[in-house]
Amino acid sequence: MKLIGLSGTTISITEELEGTTASRHYTDGILQAGGLPVLIPYGYESNQVQEICDRIDALILTGGEDVNPAFYGEDPIGAIGTVNPERDDLEFRLVTAMMERKKPILGICRGIQVLNVVLGGSLYQDIPKQVRGAISHRQKGPRGYLSHRVAVAAGSKLSEIVGSQEIWVNSFHHQSVKELAPHFIVSATTSDGVIEAIELPKYPFLLGVQWHPENLWQKNESAALLFRALVEAAG
Ligand code: MN
């Protein structure tokens, strides 16, 4: 079975209970798709990042904190969220090492933002402050509730995976792709023009989505298909 690496976020419950964690929604999503999830904790040295990327067959960049805007040449605005430098550092090295190996990457929420920034793009630091006329991208209600539509670009890898030009998704983000990184294409947008998915054509599988399929796959076919497509691409 294919090993699917997962980046995680910092958890600190007590002094004794702190470290790296990723929600079970992701790991169950990988399991149901036929892959074996492997959490990649903080603390890897560069040679160890190379070794873990030799072993895993694909990578999921999970949701979480804001990317440090210094990486795209901006000072932080007042509405910036929490930044996690240790996580930025590990995920940037993971993306680079996976791409050297032409292995599949799926970026989820923060993950699409990481992919865009690592490859030379930039972000809106805060959609409500910076995108005029934006719809609500921070839904109020259960995480599995489908709050807005996205238009899927014809001919994109994403449209091939979900088999539709329009899907409904959930939305829990205050940032989004601003300047697209070189060589990427936009594979989905909302009615306000916010970029909801990007991909790198000519690369075996490198896709970022701004929504949270890990909270949807249980009931939503297009979300389940994303996990399955990643595990298939890992093979
Ligand atoms: Mn959204």
Side-chain angles (χ1 to χ4, degrees):
M1 282 172 93
K2 298 299 166 186
L3 300 181
I4 313 297
L6 278 162
S7 67
T9 189
T10 305
I11 189 171
S12 185
I13 294 171
T14 64
E15 234 179 293
E16 290 77 31
L17 193 52
E18 57 174 52
T20 316
T21 186
S23 162
R24 179 168 182 178
H25 298 294
Y26 294 102
T27 53
D28 283 350
I30 294 166
L31 287 166
Q32 65 84 29
L36 291 176
V38 178
L39 179 64
I40 302 169
Y42 300 128
Y44 275 100
E45 303 291 342
S46 288
N47 59 322
Q48 293 160 338
V49 166
Q50 299 298 321
E51 181 153 356
I52 190 72
C53 290
D54 282 339
R55 306 265 189 101
I56 59 175
D57 301 295
L59 174 69
I60 290 184
L61 299 166
T62 60
E65 302 89 334
D66 290 354
V67 175
N68 182 350
F71 287 115
Y72 46 91
E74 291 186 14
D75 290 322
I77 65 168
I80 190 88
T82 306
V83 166
N84 184 339
E86 192 174 30
R87 181 170 188 185
D88 286 345
D89 177 62
L90 176 61
E91 290 185 339
F92 281 35
R93 288 186 291 141
L94 285 169
V95 169
T96 304
M98 288 299 277
M99 289 188 72
E100 284 165 3
R101 290 158 178 76
K102 292 270 186 286
K103 289 185 175 178
I105 307 175
L106 174 63
I108 293 177
C109 198
R110 166 189 162 88
I112 178 180
Q113 298 164 7
V114 168
L115 288 173
N116 191 54
V117 172
V118 177
L119 278 302
S122 66
L123 305 176
Y124 287 112
Q125 293 187 40
D126 186 64
I127 294 171
K129 286 269 191 308
Q130 296 181 321
V131 181
R132 192 185 285 254
I135 64 169
S136 170
H137 288 276
R138 269 196 165 155
Q139 72 187 50
K140 297 174 180 75
R143 292 189 72 87
Y145 149 65
L146 303 169
S147 72
H148 68 57
R149 279 166 299 173
V150 299
V152 179
S156 63
K157 181 91 174 171
L158 180 64
S159 82
E160 192 186 303
I161 293 168
V162 301
S164 175
Q165 250 49 85
E166 183 182 277
I167 56 173
W168 285 84
V169 301
N170 55 0
S171 194
F172 298 94
H173 59 111
H174 82 114
Q175 299 199 321
S176 66
V177 170
K178 184 165 69 178
E179 276 174 273
L180 189 64
H183 311 301
F184 272 86
I185 62 162
V186 172
S187 31
T189 51
T190 29
S191 57
D192 54 7
V194 164
I195 294 174
E196 289 271 342
I198 62 173
E199 60 190 72
L200 190 58
K202 293 185 182 145
Y203 187 94
F205 186 111
L206 199 149
L207 174 65
V209 298
Q210 192 54 76
W211 60 94
H212 283 272
E214 80 280 8
N215 298 127
L216 300 175
W217 60 263
Q218 300 87 340
K219 290 181 181 170
N220 177 271
E221 185 62 9
S222 63
L225 286 167
L226 272 175
F227 282 98
R228 262 177 256 154
L230 179 72
V231 173
E232 257 171 50

